[in-house]
Amino acid sequence: MSRATPAQVSVERCPGGPILVRGADVVRDAGGTEHEVTRPVVAVCACGMSGRAPWCDGTHKVVAAKGAG
Ligand code: FES
């Protein structure tokens, strides 16, 4: 399998939510573990609360709601 070159990958931070990664073949977490990417776009958790890390599972919405109340 060939990996995407950096020029083919884009990263976008969603305010209060995940980081959208487009065009990547692999996402490497803070511990150095590589996670294969099988979709054109993946949402990487930026809040640290996901139960499916490194992927966003929507928990950031619950965290934000509790913080607002
Ligand atoms: S950003 Fe969505 S669960 Fe962390």
Side-chain angles (χ1 to χ4, degrees):
M1 174 173 85
S2 65
R3 292 190 171 187
T5 62
Q8 296 171 311
V9 176
S10 67
V11 177
E12 176 185 353
R13 178 71 193 260
C14 298
I19 299 166
L20 300 181
V21 180
R22 293 180 173 84
D25 294 325
V26 171
V27 167
R28 185 178 303 121
D29 66 26
T33 301
E34 292 189 343
H35 302 269
E36 182 181 8
V37 173
T38 59
R39 299 176 180 183
V41 181
V42 291
V44 176
C45 177
C47 74
M49 302 300 288
S50 175
R52 294 182 52 240
W55 315 122
C56 171
D57 67 357
T59 301
H60 63 272
K61 296 175 189 171
V62 177
V63 173
K66 285 184 179 177

